[in-house]
Structures are given as C-alpha cells and as structure tokens.
Amino acid sequence: MSQLSIYNSLTREKEVFTPITPGHVGLYVCGPTVSGESHLGHARPYITFDVVNRYLQFLNYKVRYVRNITDAGHFEEEGRDATDKVNDKAKLEQLEPMELVHKYTNLFHWGMRAFNTLEPSIEPTATGHIIEQISMIKKIIEKGYAYEVNGSVYFDVKKYAANYPYGKLSGRILDDLLETTRELDGQDEKRNKVDFALWKAAPPEHIMRWESPWGEGFPGWHIECSAMASKYLGVQFDIHGGGMDLQFPHHESEIAQSTIVHDHAPVNYWMHNNMITINGKKMGKSYNNVIKLTELFSGSHPILEQAYHPMVVRFYILQTHYRSTLDFSNEALQASEKALKRLWETYEVLKQLSYSPSNEGINESLNQDLISICNACEDYMNDDFNTAKVIAALFDLTSSINSFKANLIPIGTITEACFNLLQATFKNYLETILGLQSVQASSQNDAMDKVLQVLITLRKEAKQRKDFAVSDQIRNQLQEAGVILKDEKDGTVSYTIQ
C-alpha cells in the first residue's frame, strides 16, 4: 500500500504526507474576493481542493478545512490612494459594501453547490477578523519588521530578506524585484518599493474603514489569511492551497508575516493548482476573457457553443492533473460531456449487475488485471492526487464491465471478491472522491432552480400590480420552506436556501 505524497511548492519536491497531529489535517485555501461573479478560472482551485478534502477524509483523516471570504482589503499596491476591490465595486453598483458582499457570496455558494463541492469546516471573512489582523500587525511592528507612515503600516521586506529566505516559495529574487517593481503613486512613503501594506489609511471617500492604533483605515490583503489561518488552524498547520497566481505576492507575504509573528514558518505543505487558459492566455478580467459561471451553465457567453452542465465542467477539470495547465475549448468540454456520460452509464450497468459463479471457472488473467487496475487508483491518488490517471483507470474497466452486461464474458469468470472490488472502486472514486454525479440526477437541482424562478417572477408581477397579499404570501411560504428572498435595489431578487 502506497503512502500519500504531495508536491510541495515550497521545496519543489514530492514529499510523503505526515500530518502534525496524527489522524488530523489542517487545510487552508484562499477563498474568493467577493467583488464580482465567480468565473471558470475560479472553479479550478475550489474543485481541486474539494477533491483533496474528500480524499483526506476518505483516508479517515479528520479534516478542518478553512476557506476564507475576502470581503475587504484586496488591492494593488498603489500608495495611500489604494482602494480595495469590494469598496470600488460597491460604488460602481451603488450598493452598500455588505450588500455587494452578500450578493456575490451567495452567487459563489450557488456555484459551489452546482459543482457538488463539500462545504468548508469554517468560512471566515476578512471583515469579521479585523481585531486579529490588527493584533498581528502590532506584533510585527514590535519585532521591528513593520513601520507606520501617515496612518499606513508597511512590512519591511528588505529587513526580512536579510534574515529569512524571502522568495523561496515563488522563486523571486529580492534584488530583481527592487529593479523591476513599477513606480506607483504614493510609493515615496515606503522605505522600499517591494514593501507591502499591512494596513492602509482610509481617504475621506473610502466607505469601508475601521479604527486602529494608526487611525481609521482598512487591512491589507495578505494579513487577513495569516490572521484567520492561525486563529482556526494554529500557528503551524499542514496544508495551504490556492492558485499558482497567488504564490507571489500573496503567499510569499503570508509566510513572511507569520514567520515574524510566530517565529517559524506557518505551513508544512504548500499546494498550488495551475491556471485555466483560453488560447494560451490566463483567464482573467485584465485579459477580458472571463467566462462567468452563470454564463457557462446557461451558454450565454459569446465564446460558448452551448451550455455546459456543472458536472461536465467538474469532470473536464479533473481529467487534467491539477498542476498542469488546462486550456479551454468548446471541443474539450464537449468531449468531456460524452466521456462523463459513457463512464456514468458503465457505473449504472455495474450497479445493476449481480454476481453468479460460472461453469467456465475463473479467468485468472482477467481477474488479476481488473484487481490491478482497481488497486492502481489508490496509487494514483496517493501520487499527488492524480485524478487524471484515476479517470483513465476507470475507463480501462469499462469494456470488461460492458462485456459482463452483454454476457460476452460471464461475470462468474472473475471472483466475487473482484466483482465487489469493481463496484467499490467506481463508487469510492467516481462519487465519493471525485465528487461526480450523473448529469441527470444533478439536473433535478436545475429543475428546482427553474421552479423557484417561476415563483419569483409571479411574486414580482404581483408586486407590480400592487397585489401585496399574494406577493407576501409567496415570500412567506418560501421562507417556511427554507428559501429566503432578498430584493435588490435594481429590482432583481436573489435567494438563499437555508
């Protein structure tokens, strides 16, 4: 039996996984910045680390999975005038920041439910942990690795790099960063261009602001994860995950902050998934090639030839190893749609088969081949969560299973133990670990969404004709059923299933 090995981005080697506390795993994954809709590029890390979470639980570890919500503080380094993304988008949409956060957090959760991801153990928010962030900043200042200027606090990267291996995770060299960091407004208040903000003084027009020892302001992006990870997982924990675009500056900064506060590195294993690209370019707002999840599931984006079911998207992502680049194309998604349908049909056949001995006796070669393929799935998952090889192995089993159904090969030519192993392998890997569902079964959730939209439309029409009795009745009865409606300023209605 193989041991679980994880590719550690920090050491650039596969390492046998040894948890800090036997039988327990602390897993932290950087969550979304809820200033807008989640897109296909966001789907990859959360599906990837959902499988990591599922597999660790399958191995009987008790996992505390912490995935944060960034609802303040995510900004580029732009001197005193920097504003976080939530603050800017709230002004653009003419919503209170927490209205905006609620709207896009609900949309994110809706997408995660559609992808059949397990909920994290804890989902803390940046705004809910301002006290913890201020406390960490105070300690960094006390230890001499941060300084205050005009109500903002910056981390002294150059001083840190003189004593610790800054850049080890991302492979960045400080001297190169000092030469290549672009000039930005307000950089003159930093000691060095590479210093990053722990706390920013809030200009008068900034909506999101909190009291601090340095005046009213808001936290930097990097400090939130350090504060929340240490609060819920301890000052040193097992696994930290996220997209590889977060290695620098976000994760590099996390390491620096936490190392100063706690006197040692915070994480044993760093895991990073690769990007989803379109025509070789990273999917992102700056490239204007983002496909939102609502567009992906409805087929409404111009680049899409059709709507794609969430399970097809999940399967498409898992067919490639998480550390490999995944290039989007309609052809690839359509091929995934056919492949998932074929694999699930085989699984349905397998569930309907029953074992009975054959007069022909046991075919030792076939029996051993099937057992070897089933057992290989564990080796593939233990080899840095290689879902691509697991899926290929499941396909290797399909021809024999379909031959059993057609009675081209009597099922009794394999042992009953082998037959039971086949059924367990499909159930364990296809459903429990890979988290896949049949498109048909998952479509029942889509049908429920459509029913809810009909009721929301009926309520809207009742309000327009001032029939508030009917409008209130629909809202109240849905609330009794656990569906909470919320009217937005632009007239749309969002809902949350409790």
Side-chain angles (χ1 to χ4, degrees), residues 453-491:
Q453 290 302 329
V454 169
L455 290 170
I456 288 169
T457 300
L458 289 173
R459 177 174 175 265
K460 182 179 179 181
E461 291 172 352
K463 287 183 71 177
Q464 287 172 345
R465 64 175 183 265
K466 301 190 184 303
D467 190 348
F468 298 113
V470 171
S471 170
D472 291 346
Q473 183 181 15
I474 292 172
R475 183 197 62 205
N476 294 338
Q477 289 187 359
L478 283 175
Q479 186 168 336
E480 288 174 9
V483 179
I484 310 300
L485 299 183
K486 185 176 186 299
D487 295 297
E488 308 284 358
K489 284 185 177 180
D490 60 2

mmCIF file of all heavy atoms in Angstrom, residues 453-491:
data_model
loop_
_atom_site.group_PDB
_atom_site.id
_atom_site.type_symbol
_atom_site.label_atom_id
_atom_site.label_comp_id
_atom_site.label_asym_id
_atom_site.label_seq_id
_atom_site.Cartn_x
_atom_site.Cartn_y
_atom_site.Cartn_z
ATOM 1 N N GLN A 453 -37.497 30.233 -9.860
ATOM 2 C CA GLN A 453 -37.524 31.428 -10.702
ATOM 3 C C GLN A 453 -38.947 31.759 -11.152
ATOM 4 O O GLN A 453 -39.317 32.930 -11.253
ATOM 5 C CB GLN A 453 -36.609 31.240 -11.922
ATOM 6 C CG GLN A 453 -35.119 31.226 -11.597
ATOM 7 C CD GLN A 453 -34.652 32.494 -10.915
ATOM 8 O OE1 GLN A 453 -35.179 33.583 -11.136
ATOM 9 N NE2 GLN A 453 -33.654 32.355 -10.051
ATOM 10 N N VAL A 454 -39.758 30.729 -11.413
ATOM 11 C CA VAL A 454 -41.170 30.953 -11.770
ATOM 12 C C VAL A 454 -41.889 31.643 -10.613
ATOM 13 O O VAL A 454 -42.629 32.613 -10.809
ATOM 14 C CB VAL A 454 -41.859 29.620 -12.137
ATOM 15 C CG1 VAL A 454 -43.374 29.815 -12.240
ATOM 16 C CG2 VAL A 454 -41.309 29.089 -13.457
ATOM 17 N N LEU A 455 -41.673 31.143 -9.390
ATOM 18 C CA LEU A 455 -42.321 31.737 -8.215
ATOM 19 C C LEU A 455 -41.839 33.172 -7.980
ATOM 20 O O LEU A 455 -42.631 34.053 -7.625
ATOM 21 C CB LEU A 455 -42.044 30.877 -6.977
ATOM 22 C CG LEU A 455 -42.744 29.514 -6.953
ATOM 23 C CD1 LEU A 455 -42.204 28.659 -5.826
ATOM 24 C CD2 LEU A 455 -44.252 29.683 -6.812
ATOM 25 N N ILE A 456 -40.546 33.407 -8.210
ATOM 26 C CA ILE A 456 -40.013 34.767 -8.065
ATOM 27 C C ILE A 456 -40.643 35.705 -9.085
ATOM 28 O O ILE A 456 -40.987 36.851 -8.770
ATOM 29 C CB ILE A 456 -38.466 34.746 -8.196
ATOM 30 C CG1 ILE A 456 -37.848 34.101 -6.944
ATOM 31 C CG2 ILE A 456 -37.912 36.152 -8.389
ATOM 32 C CD1 ILE A 456 -36.377 33.788 -7.077
ATOM 33 N N THR A 457 -40.818 35.222 -10.304
ATOM 34 C CA THR A 457 -41.459 36.031 -11.355
ATOM 35 C C THR A 457 -42.910 36.328 -10.993
ATOM 36 O O THR A 457 -43.383 37.467 -11.158
ATOM 37 C CB THR A 457 -41.387 35.298 -12.708
ATOM 38 O OG1 THR A 457 -40.011 35.074 -13.038
ATOM 39 C CG2 THR A 457 -42.058 36.119 -13.813
ATOM 40 N N LEU A 458 -43.635 35.323 -10.501
ATOM 41 C CA LEU A 458 -45.038 35.529 -10.097
ATOM 42 C C LEU A 458 -45.131 36.559 -8.975
ATOM 43 O O LEU A 458 -46.026 37.409 -8.963
ATOM 44 C CB LEU A 458 -45.650 34.200 -9.654
ATOM 45 C CG LEU A 458 -45.911 33.167 -10.759
ATOM 46 C CD1 LEU A 458 -46.361 31.844 -10.158
ATOM 47 C CD2 LEU A 458 -46.946 33.683 -11.748
ATOM 48 N N ARG A 459 -44.194 36.492 -8.041
ATOM 49 C CA ARG A 459 -44.192 37.464 -6.939
ATOM 50 C C ARG A 459 -43.906 38.865 -7.468
ATOM 51 O O ARG A 459 -44.536 39.849 -7.036
ATOM 52 C CB ARG A 459 -43.140 37.061 -5.904
ATOM 53 C CG ARG A 459 -43.017 38.054 -4.750
ATOM 54 C CD ARG A 459 -42.067 37.522 -3.681
ATOM 55 N NE ARG A 459 -41.853 38.512 -2.644
ATOM 56 C CZ ARG A 459 -40.835 39.363 -2.633
ATOM 57 N NH1 ARG A 459 -39.924 39.337 -3.604
ATOM 58 N NH2 ARG A 459 -40.696 40.246 -1.659
ATOM 59 N N LYS A 460 -42.955 38.968 -8.406
ATOM 60 C CA LYS A 460 -42.624 40.276 -8.983
ATOM 61 C C LYS A 460 -43.833 40.876 -9.701
ATOM 62 O O LYS A 460 -44.128 42.072 -9.562
ATOM 63 C CB LYS A 460 -41.453 40.116 -9.961
ATOM 64 C CG LYS A 460 -40.995 41.420 -10.597
ATOM 65 C CD LYS A 460 -39.823 41.170 -11.541
ATOM 66 C CE LYS A 460 -39.379 42.466 -12.197
ATOM 67 N NZ LYS A 460 -38.239 42.235 -13.134
ATOM 68 N N GLU A 461 -44.553 40.037 -10.451
ATOM 69 C CA GLU A 461 -45.746 40.516 -11.167
ATOM 70 C C GLU A 461 -46.828 40.954 -10.182
ATOM 71 O O GLU A 461 -47.526 41.952 -10.418
ATOM 72 C CB GLU A 461 -46.258 39.424 -12.094
ATOM 73 C CG GLU A 461 -45.328 39.159 -13.280
ATOM 74 C CD GLU A 461 -45.749 37.945 -14.088
ATOM 75 O OE1 GLU A 461 -46.676 37.213 -13.635
ATOM 76 O OE2 GLU A 461 -45.149 37.698 -15.151
ATOM 77 N N ALA A 462 -46.949 40.216 -9.061
ATOM 78 C CA ALA A 462 -47.938 40.588 -8.046
ATOM 79 C C ALA A 462 -47.590 41.944 -7.427
ATOM 80 O O ALA A 462 -48.477 42.782 -7.198
ATOM 81 C CB ALA A 462 -48.001 39.509 -6.963
ATOM 82 N N LYS A 463 -46.303 42.177 -7.191
ATOM 83 C CA LYS A 463 -45.890 43.466 -6.631
ATOM 84 C C LYS A 463 -46.156 44.604 -7.613
ATOM 85 O O LYS A 463 -46.571 45.699 -7.217
ATOM 86 C CB LYS A 463 -44.396 43.425 -6.274
ATOM 87 C CG LYS A 463 -44.079 42.581 -5.044
ATOM 88 C CD LYS A 463 -42.615 42.637 -4.684
ATOM 89 C CE LYS A 463 -42.230 43.986 -4.123
ATOM 90 N NZ LYS A 463 -40.807 44.018 -3.697
ATOM 91 N N GLN A 464 -45.936 44.336 -8.909
ATOM 92 C CA GLN A 464 -46.144 45.378 -9.920
ATOM 93 C C GLN A 464 -47.609 45.797 -10.013
ATOM 94 O O GLN A 464 -47.905 46.964 -10.267
ATOM 95 C CB GLN A 464 -45.635 44.894 -11.281
ATOM 96 C CG GLN A 464 -44.103 44.857 -11.371
ATOM 97 C CD GLN A 464 -43.607 44.199 -12.643
ATOM 98 O OE1 GLN A 464 -44.362 43.516 -13.351
ATOM 99 N NE2 GLN A 464 -42.325 44.387 -12.944
ATOM 100 N N ARG A 465 -48.516 44.843 -9.800
ATOM 101 C CA ARG A 465 -49.947 45.196 -9.832
ATOM 102 C C ARG A 465 -50.472 45.523 -8.432
ATOM 103 O O ARG A 465 -51.685 45.599 -8.219
ATOM 104 C CB ARG A 465 -50.764 44.082 -10.481
ATOM 105 C CG ARG A 465 -50.775 42.758 -9.760
ATOM 106 C CD ARG A 465 -51.724 41.761 -10.443
ATOM 107 N NE ARG A 465 -51.776 40.523 -9.693
ATOM 108 C CZ ARG A 465 -51.032 39.457 -9.943
ATOM 109 N NH1 ARG A 465 -50.155 39.475 -10.948
ATOM 110 N NH2 ARG A 465 -51.140 38.365 -9.199
ATOM 111 N N LYS A 466 -49.494 45.694 -7.483
ATOM 112 C CA LYS A 466 -49.789 46.095 -6.103
ATOM 113 C C LYS A 466 -50.661 45.092 -5.360
ATOM 114 O O LYS A 466 -51.411 45.440 -4.453
ATOM 115 C CB LYS A 466 -50.434 47.493 -6.070
ATOM 116 C CG LYS A 466 -49.552 48.579 -6.692
ATOM 117 C CD LYS A 466 -50.085 49.954 -6.429
ATOM 118 C CE LYS A 466 -49.256 51.024 -7.138
ATOM 119 N NZ LYS A 466 -47.830 51.000 -6.769
ATOM 120 N N ASP A 467 -50.547 43.836 -5.740
ATOM 121 C CA ASP A 467 -51.234 42.760 -5.016
ATOM 122 C C ASP A 467 -50.263 42.238 -3.951
ATOM 123 O O ASP A 467 -49.682 41.158 -4.071
ATOM 124 C CB ASP A 467 -51.640 41.642 -5.991
ATOM 125 C CG ASP A 467 -52.558 40.617 -5.349
ATOM 126 O OD1 ASP A 467 -52.697 40.654 -4.105
ATOM 127 O OD2 ASP A 467 -53.125 39.790 -6.081
ATOM 128 N N PHE A 468 -50.095 43.033 -2.902
ATOM 129 C CA PHE A 468 -49.073 42.727 -1.904
ATOM 130 C C PHE A 468 -49.425 41.504 -1.051
ATOM 131 O O PHE A 468 -48.548 40.880 -0.469
ATOM 132 C CB PHE A 468 -48.835 43.947 -1.011
ATOM 133 C CG PHE A 468 -48.321 45.132 -1.789
ATOM 134 C CD1 PHE A 468 -49.087 46.275 -1.948
ATOM 135 C CD2 PHE A 468 -47.073 45.077 -2.386
ATOM 136 C CE1 PHE A 468 -48.610 47.361 -2.672
ATOM 137 C CE2 PHE A 468 -46.575 46.160 -3.109
ATOM 138 C CZ PHE A 468 -47.347 47.294 -3.262
ATOM 139 N N ALA A 469 -50.720 41.172 -0.998
ATOM 140 C CA ALA A 469 -51.128 39.982 -0.241
ATOM 141 C C ALA A 469 -50.530 38.730 -0.875
ATOM 142 O O ALA A 469 -49.954 37.872 -0.188
ATOM 143 C CB ALA A 469 -52.649 39.892 -0.178
ATOM 144 N N VAL A 470 -50.646 38.627 -2.204
ATOM 145 C CA VAL A 470 -50.085 37.473 -2.923
ATOM 146 C C VAL A 470 -48.560 37.508 -2.871
ATOM 147 O O VAL A 470 -47.897 36.483 -2.649
ATOM 148 C CB VAL A 470 -50.577 37.454 -4.389
ATOM 149 C CG1 VAL A 470 -49.815 36.400 -5.191
ATOM 150 C CG2 VAL A 470 -52.067 37.167 -4.440
ATOM 151 N N SER A 471 -47.997 38.700 -3.068
ATOM 152 C CA SER A 471 -46.537 38.848 -3.024
ATOM 153 C C SER A 471 -45.978 38.380 -1.682
ATOM 154 O O SER A 471 -45.020 37.604 -1.631
ATOM 155 C CB SER A 471 -46.171 40.315 -3.268
ATOM 156 O OG SER A 471 -44.803 40.522 -3.013
ATOM 157 N N ASP A 472 -46.592 38.831 -0.602
ATOM 158 C CA ASP A 472 -46.134 38.446 0.734
ATOM 159 C C ASP A 472 -46.354 36.964 1.005
ATOM 160 O O ASP A 472 -45.554 36.304 1.675
ATOM 161 C CB ASP A 472 -46.842 39.281 1.801
ATOM 162 C CG ASP A 472 -46.410 40.743 1.774
ATOM 163 O OD1 ASP A 472 -45.379 41.037 1.120
ATOM 164 O OD2 ASP A 472 -47.106 41.581 2.377
ATOM 165 N N GLN A 473 -47.455 36.434 0.472
ATOM 166 C CA GLN A 473 -47.753 35.016 0.677
ATOM 167 C C GLN A 473 -46.681 34.138 0.037
ATOM 168 O O GLN A 473 -46.213 33.163 0.641
ATOM 169 C CB GLN A 473 -49.131 34.675 0.091
ATOM 170 C CG GLN A 473 -49.540 33.222 0.347
ATOM 171 C CD GLN A 473 -50.895 32.900 -0.275
ATOM 172 O OE1 GLN A 473 -51.399 33.643 -1.114
ATOM 173 N NE2 GLN A 473 -51.485 31.793 0.146
ATOM 174 N N ILE A 474 -46.284 34.496 -1.202
ATOM 175 C CA ILE A 474 -45.231 33.721 -1.878
ATOM 176 C C ILE A 474 -43.930 33.799 -1.081
ATOM 177 O O ILE A 474 -43.269 32.785 -0.833
ATOM 178 C CB ILE A 474 -45.019 34.243 -3.320
ATOM 179 C CG1 ILE A 474 -46.249 33.940 -4.184
ATOM 180 C CG2 ILE A 474 -43.768 33.613 -3.938
ATOM 181 C CD1 ILE A 474 -46.203 34.572 -5.556
ATOM 182 N N ARG A 475 -43.573 35.012 -0.650
ATOM 183 C CA ARG A 475 -42.328 35.193 0.107
ATOM 184 C C ARG A 475 -42.360 34.405 1.411
ATOM 185 O O ARG A 475 -41.408 33.693 1.755
ATOM 186 C CB ARG A 475 -42.108 36.679 0.395
ATOM 187 C CG ARG A 475 -40.779 36.971 1.128
ATOM 188 C CD ARG A 475 -40.787 38.353 1.746
ATOM 189 N NE ARG A 475 -41.844 38.457 2.755
ATOM 190 C CZ ARG A 475 -42.406 39.602 3.122
ATOM 191 N NH1 ARG A 475 -42.058 40.734 2.554
ATOM 192 N NH2 ARG A 475 -43.349 39.613 4.052
ATOM 193 N N ASN A 476 -43.477 34.498 2.149
ATOM 194 C CA ASN A 476 -43.575 33.858 3.455
ATOM 195 C C ASN A 476 -43.572 32.331 3.355
ATOM 196 O O ASN A 476 -42.950 31.637 4.161
ATOM 197 C CB ASN A 476 -44.829 34.336 4.194
ATOM 198 C CG ASN A 476 -44.753 35.820 4.551
ATOM 199 O OD1 ASN A 476 -43.665 36.392 4.626
ATOM 200 N ND2 ASN A 476 -45.900 36.449 4.742
ATOM 201 N N GLN A 477 -44.285 31.814 2.343
ATOM 202 C CA GLN A 477 -44.341 30.349 2.198
ATOM 203 C C GLN A 477 -42.992 29.793 1.745
ATOM 204 O O GLN A 477 -42.601 28.698 2.160
ATOM 205 C CB GLN A 477 -45.462 29.963 1.235
ATOM 206 C CG GLN A 477 -46.849 30.188 1.835
ATOM 207 C CD GLN A 477 -47.974 29.654 0.953
ATOM 208 O OE1 GLN A 477 -47.734 29.116 -0.124
ATOM 209 N NE2 GLN A 477 -49.203 29.792 1.425
ATOM 210 N N LEU A 478 -42.291 30.544 0.901
ATOM 211 C CA LEU A 478 -40.944 30.109 0.522
ATOM 212 C C LEU A 478 -40.013 30.146 1.730
ATOM 213 O O LEU A 478 -39.173 29.260 1.906
ATOM 214 C CB LEU A 478 -40.397 30.999 -0.597
ATOM 215 C CG LEU A 478 -40.939 30.733 -2.006
ATOM 216 C CD1 LEU A 478 -40.404 31.757 -2.986
ATOM 217 C CD2 LEU A 478 -40.583 29.332 -2.479
ATOM 218 N N GLN A 479 -40.170 31.157 2.586
ATOM 219 C CA GLN A 479 -39.345 31.254 3.781
ATOM 220 C C GLN A 479 -39.590 30.078 4.713
ATOM 221 O O GLN A 479 -38.653 29.525 5.301
ATOM 222 C CB GLN A 479 -39.624 32.572 4.507
ATOM 223 C CG GLN A 479 -38.686 32.814 5.688
ATOM 224 C CD GLN A 479 -38.782 34.234 6.217
ATOM 225 O OE1 GLN A 479 -39.173 35.139 5.484
ATOM 226 N NE2 GLN A 479 -38.455 34.421 7.471
ATOM 227 N N GLU A 480 -40.857 29.657 4.823
ATOM 228 C CA GLU A 480 -41.177 28.483 5.649
ATOM 229 C C GLU A 480 -40.513 27.229 5.096
ATOM 230 O O GLU A 480 -40.172 26.306 5.838
ATOM 231 C CB GLU A 480 -42.700 28.289 5.707
ATOM 232 C CG GLU A 480 -43.420 29.344 6.562
ATOM 233 C CD GLU A 480 -44.930 29.202 6.480
ATOM 234 O OE1 GLU A 480 -45.396 28.193 5.906
ATOM 235 O OE2 GLU A 480 -45.643 30.096 6.978
ATOM 236 N N ALA A 481 -40.347 27.207 3.759
ATOM 237 C CA ALA A 481 -39.700 26.056 3.113
ATOM 238 C C ALA A 481 -38.177 26.184 3.122
ATOM 239 O O ALA A 481 -37.479 25.316 2.590
ATOM 240 C CB ALA A 481 -40.202 25.927 1.674
ATOM 241 N N GLY A 482 -37.671 27.269 3.718
ATOM 242 C CA GLY A 482 -36.219 27.437 3.833
ATOM 243 C C GLY A 482 -35.581 28.229 2.718
ATOM 244 O O GLY A 482 -34.356 28.231 2.565
ATOM 245 N N VAL A 483 -36.385 28.942 1.903
ATOM 246 C CA VAL A 483 -35.856 29.756 0.816
ATOM 247 C C VAL A 483 -36.073 31.224 1.164
ATOM 248 O O VAL A 483 -37.212 31.680 1.276
ATOM 249 C CB VAL A 483 -36.546 29.431 -0.532
ATOM 250 C CG1 VAL A 483 -35.984 30.311 -1.645
ATOM 251 C CG2 VAL A 483 -36.375 27.958 -0.875
ATOM 252 N N ILE A 484 -34.995 31.966 1.353
ATOM 253 C CA ILE A 484 -35.064 33.367 1.767
ATOM 254 C C ILE A 484 -34.879 34.253 0.542
ATOM 255 O O ILE A 484 -33.852 34.168 -0.153
ATOM 256 C CB ILE A 484 -33.970 33.703 2.808
ATOM 257 C CG1 ILE A 484 -33.969 32.670 3.940
ATOM 258 C CG2 ILE A 484 -34.156 35.119 3.334
ATOM 259 C CD1 ILE A 484 -35.268 32.578 4.694
ATOM 260 N N LEU A 485 -35.881 35.093 0.242
ATOM 261 C CA LEU A 485 -35.804 36.014 -0.884
ATOM 262 C C LEU A 485 -35.273 37.356 -0.410
ATOM 263 O O LEU A 485 -35.585 37.810 0.688
ATOM 264 C CB LEU A 485 -37.175 36.211 -1.529
ATOM 265 C CG LEU A 485 -37.852 34.975 -2.125
ATOM 266 C CD1 LEU A 485 -39.161 35.373 -2.796
ATOM 267 C CD2 LEU A 485 -36.946 34.273 -3.125
ATOM 268 N N LYS A 486 -34.486 38.017 -1.269
ATOM 269 C CA LYS A 486 -33.961 39.344 -0.949
ATOM 270 C C LYS A 486 -34.091 40.228 -2.180
ATOM 271 O O LYS A 486 -33.564 39.902 -3.240
ATOM 272 C CB LYS A 486 -32.496 39.260 -0.525
ATOM 273 C CG LYS A 486 -31.931 40.601 -0.055
ATOM 274 C CD LYS A 486 -30.498 40.441 0.436
ATOM 275 C CE LYS A 486 -29.974 41.721 1.051
ATOM 276 N NZ LYS A 486 -29.955 42.838 0.112
ATOM 277 N N ASP A 487 -34.818 41.339 -2.050
ATOM 278 C CA ASP A 487 -34.979 42.284 -3.146
ATOM 279 C C ASP A 487 -33.756 43.186 -3.246
ATOM 280 O O ASP A 487 -33.319 43.760 -2.257
ATOM 281 C CB ASP A 487 -36.238 43.138 -2.918
ATOM 282 C CG ASP A 487 -37.514 42.307 -2.959
ATOM 283 O OD1 ASP A 487 -37.798 41.742 -4.014
ATOM 284 O OD2 ASP A 487 -38.213 42.223 -1.927
ATOM 285 N N GLU A 488 -33.210 43.282 -4.469
ATOM 286 C CA GLU A 488 -32.065 44.161 -4.707
ATOM 287 C C GLU A 488 -32.540 45.540 -5.162
ATOM 288 O O GLU A 488 -33.684 45.706 -5.588
ATOM 289 C CB GLU A 488 -31.152 43.548 -5.798
ATOM 290 C CG GLU A 488 -30.743 42.112 -5.540
ATOM 291 C CD GLU A 488 -29.666 41.995 -4.482
ATOM 292 O OE1 GLU A 488 -29.221 43.042 -3.976
ATOM 293 O OE2 GLU A 488 -29.274 40.871 -4.152
ATOM 294 N N LYS A 489 -31.637 46.541 -5.110
ATOM 295 C CA LYS A 489 -32.003 47.892 -5.494
ATOM 296 C C LYS A 489 -32.379 48.009 -6.970
ATOM 297 O O LYS A 489 -33.173 48.856 -7.352
ATOM 298 C CB LYS A 489 -30.839 48.851 -5.185
ATOM 299 C CG LYS A 489 -30.704 49.175 -3.704
ATOM 300 C CD LYS A 489 -29.628 50.213 -3.477
ATOM 301 C CE LYS A 489 -29.546 50.581 -2.008
ATOM 302 N NZ LYS A 489 -28.494 51.596 -1.760
ATOM 303 N N ASP A 490 -31.761 47.151 -7.819
ATOM 304 C CA ASP A 490 -32.063 47.246 -9.243
ATOM 305 C C ASP A 490 -33.305 46.448 -9.635
ATOM 306 O O ASP A 490 -33.626 46.313 -10.812
ATOM 307 C CB ASP A 490 -30.870 46.781 -10.083
ATOM 308 C CG ASP A 490 -30.500 45.333 -9.797
ATOM 309 O OD1 ASP A 490 -31.173 44.677 -8.984
ATOM 310 O OD2 ASP A 490 -29.536 44.841 -10.405
ATOM 311 N N GLY A 491 -34.007 45.907 -8.633
ATOM 312 C CA GLY A 491 -35.263 45.204 -8.915
ATOM 313 C C GLY A 491 -35.131 43.702 -9.018
ATOM 314 O O GLY A 491 -36.134 42.982 -9.021
#
